[in-house]
Amino acid sequence: MEEVTEAVSNLSITEPHKKNRIQVSNTKKPLFFYVNLAKRYMQQHNEVELSALGMAIATVVTVAEILKNNGLAVEKKIMTSTVDVKDDSRSRPMQKAKIEIVLGKTENFDELMAAAAEEREAAAAAEGEEQG
């Protein structure tokens, strides 16, 4: 039985990397880096999977809520689990909470993205006129 438990805990971290998965950290990048990356992934793959461990869970939830509140994404699935994380300073693995949120594009995702792109172009043109 111990062998099975050990095999299961080893499996949880070595999942194959999905092309539309974003593993969020709460220390490496600013919040809107993940928001913009998620938008790009949804454009390419129609859905995005946001994943985080421990303290970064709040960041993932915030990214998902920003996308939903702006009418860009709908929740498809939310999964929570606990995973064993090896820590070199301790002899035994540490357990950490994990969340995975799958978001899909809304029906008007492409329209909203096009409108945002037009607004950015108009703002850039206006800025160019002011400098000229």
Side-chain angles (χ1 to χ4, degrees):
M1 190 66 188
E2 286 176 9
E3 291 171 18
V4 172
T5 307
E6 192 175 305
V8 169
S9 62
N10 289 344
L11 275 177
S12 60
I13 296 293
T14 57
E15 297 168 355
H17 183 72
K18 293 181 184 173
K19 284 185 166 62
N20 66 333
R21 176 184 288 161
I22 300 172
Q23 291 180 305
V24 176
S25 159
N26 60 341
T27 55
K28 292 184 179 149
K29 303 276 184 204
L31 180 70
F32 275 88
F33 169 83
Y34 293 112
V35 171
N36 292 324
L37 187 61
K39 287 179 190 177
R40 203 167 328 133
Y41 277 32
M42 284 194 293
Q43 281 177 319
Q44 294 169 353
H45 305 286
N46 293 326
E47 68 177 32
V48 63
E49 183 179 307
L50 301 168
S51 172
L53 294 176
M55 301 298 280
I57 289 173
T59 305
V60 160
V61 172
T62 303
V63 169
E65 286 301 308
I66 288 169
L67 293 166
K68 285 169 33 188
N69 292 337
N70 288 327
L72 296 168
V74 288
E75 259 169 40
K76 286 189 163 185
K77 190 168 22 169
I78 298 176
M79 297 164 289
T80 60
S81 59
T82 308
V83 294
D84 286 341
V85 178
K86 290 181 176 63
D87 186 348
D88 294 337
S89 64
R90 297 178 180 195
S91 57
R92 59 190 175 108
M94 223 171 54
Q95 289 208 312
K96 282 204 171 191
K98 179 179 182 178
I99 192 167
E100 293 171 279
I101 301 176
V102 179
L103 299 174
K105 286 175 23 173
T106 57
E107 284 181 22
N108 55 351
F109 175 90
D110 294 318
E111 292 170 33
L112 291 168
M113 291 298 286
E118 282 176 27
E119 283 176 28
R120 281 194 304 273
E121 286 171 18
E127 195 174 292
E129 288 172 17
E130 287 175 15
Q131 290 177 354

